[in-house]
Amino acid sequence: FILLGKQSVGKSRLIEALAGEQFNFCSGTLGSRRPTVLEFRNVPSGKNSQWAVRNSATNTWVQHSVQQVMKIIGDAHQELGTTVSAEPVYVRVQSPWCV
């Protein structure tokens, strides 16, 4: 599904509910300068969540801590300055808490 909405209307809280985990990809300024594609995988046998970002150069998934994923996404948005891009950032979360 696609999630669109004005600033500070609860989009991130909805995504957190689907992920089953609190995180924060928000920015105090224009935060979404490019699409963020989130892939949720429910892994009932998992003990912890596993986060990964797809490397656009190699098209492979690279596992990171949720804190590092937040930094990668923030940097990907911030590097655009005041422009926007159609090129998405791909993020995967696997956990027993994902919907």
Side-chain angles (χ1 to χ4, degrees), residues 32-83:
S32 298
R33 293 181 177 95
R34 64 173 73 229
T36 302
V37 178
L38 296 163
E39 179 181 323
F40 299 113
R41 291 187 175 190
N42 180 275
V43 182
S45 61
K47 297 191 188 301
N48 298 308
S49 61
Q50 294 181 358
W51 291 78
V53 177
R54 192 166 78 186
N55 180 309
S56 60
T58 63
N59 205 29
T60 59
W61 290 97
V62 180
Q63 192 168 331
H64 299 279
S65 69
V66 66
Q67 292 82 11
Q68 188 62 28
V69 170
M70 289 188 294
K71 180 176 178 353
I72 291 167
I73 290 178
D75 290 350
H77 288 281
Q78 294 294 83
E79 73 185 17
L80 294 173
T82 59
T83 62

Side-chain angles (χ1 to χ4, degrees), residues 14-28:
L14 175 60
I15 296 299
E16 287 176 345
L18 293 171
E21 182 169 357
Q22 188 173 1
F23 56 89
N24 187 359
F25 294 152
C26 301
S27 168

